[in-house]
Structure formats: structure tokens, C-alpha cells
């Protein structure tokens, strides 16, 4: 059940490599499994976040969302149109698109995308690629 730890780590590393610095990342072992990757607004980034906080949330049930938080406690969740277990670069591209940033051509492919139901052997296999 912990296969999502490596997956979230891989997404955080891909974001960092693309110039979208992250503050940290968390993979929660509860049911359903989920996680959070907050962006580090204190470091130079290829995008400018006009929010007090921004980050990605993932749930094995609901998939990926970009969370934009402004004080006092106003949150906006933007669902990202990516597969449930999207390849890390698919997430980089989706975040860049939402932020209005154009990625350079020739970046990583999305051949590792998986959009099947959670709880299946195929879903667990898709997560295990990142272990």
C-alpha cells in the first residue's frame, strides 16, 4: 500500500528539475492514499505564484489538483486534466500550463501515464515503477 511514496517523490523531483521548486513532499498512508507537494515560493521559479501558497495534492481516488491558497483561508482547487498515475513530466506540463508557462520542446515523454482504477494490480504496478 505504500507504493505512492516513491511516486510522489518522483513527481517532486521532476518539478524541481523543471525549475518549479518544491518546499517538501508528503505521502500519507491512510485510506485512500494521498499526498501533498507544496511549492517553495522563496526560491527562484520559472513561474510566479500570485497566491500565499500553491501546491499539488494527489489522491488515489480523486487524482491531481493544483491548490491555490490565499489568506484568510481562501482555497481554490483546480483539477488537473492528467491521468490518475500521471508520469511526473505530465504533472510538470499540467502545472506549467496552469501557470501560463511554456515548456521548451523536447522535454520528457509521458509514456508512463496510467489511468486505471485504484486497487487493481495494474494500478499498483503503475505506482511501483517509482519505488
Amino acid at each position: 500500500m505504500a507504493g505512492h511514496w516513491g511516486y510522489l517523490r518522483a513527481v517532486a523531483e521532476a518539478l524541481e528539475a523543471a525549475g518549479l521548486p518544491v518546499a517538501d513532499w508528503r505521502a500519507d498512508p491512510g485510506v485512500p492514499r494521498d499526498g501533498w507537494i507544496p511549492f517553495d515560493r522563496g526560491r527562484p521559479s520559472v513561474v510566479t505564484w500570485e497566491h500565499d501558497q500553491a501546491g499539488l495534492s494527489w489522491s488515489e481516488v480523486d487524482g491531481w489538483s493544483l491548490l491555490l491558497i490565499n489568506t484568510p483561508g481562501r482555497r481554490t482547487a483546480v483539477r488537473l486534466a492528467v491521468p490518475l498515475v500521471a508520469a511526473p513530466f505530465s504533472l510538470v506540463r499540467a502545472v506549467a500550463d496552469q501557470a501560463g508557462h511554456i515548456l521548451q520542446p523536447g522535454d520528457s515523454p509521458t509514456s508512463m501515464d496510467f489511468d486505471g482504477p485504484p486497487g487493481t494490480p495494474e494500478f499498483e504496478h503503475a505506482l511501483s515503477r517509482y519505488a
Side-chain angles (χ1 to χ4, degrees):
M1 286 297 283
H4 68 304
W5 288 76
Y7 176 52
L8 288 164
R9 182 187 65 237
V11 171
E13 290 171 354
L15 291 163
E16 283 279 343
L20 294 157
V22 300
D24 63 7
W25 61 273
R26 286 189 300 275
D28 298 321
V31 177
R33 293 174 287 185
D34 59 15
W36 167 242
I37 304 173
F39 293 109
D40 186 345
R41 296 186 59 238
R43 293 177 25 213
S45 176
V46 297
V47 302
T48 302
W49 299 108
E50 297 182 13
H51 305 278
D52 295 331
Q53 279 187 302
L56 292 176
S57 68
W58 178 79
S59 162
E60 68 181 336
V61 173
D62 297 320
W64 287 96
S65 292
L66 176 63
L67 259 51
L68 305 169
I69 303 167
N70 294 311
T71 14
R74 291 189 344 220
R75 304 176 96 189
T76 302
V78 179
R79 276 230 111 153
L80 297 176
V82 296
L84 188 57
V85 181
F89 185 73
S90 294
L91 269 297
V92 168
R93 184 179 323 188
V95 170
D97 287 350
Q98 284 295 319
H101 178 71
I102 309 237
L103 294 175
Q104 298 302 315
D107 288 319
S108 299
T110 58
S111 62
M112 301 292 275
D113 284 343
F114 175 79
D115 206 15
T120 63
E122 295 82 9
F123 180 82
E124 296 305 321
H125 176 70
L127 287 177
S128 72
R129 293 178 188 155
Y130 303 98

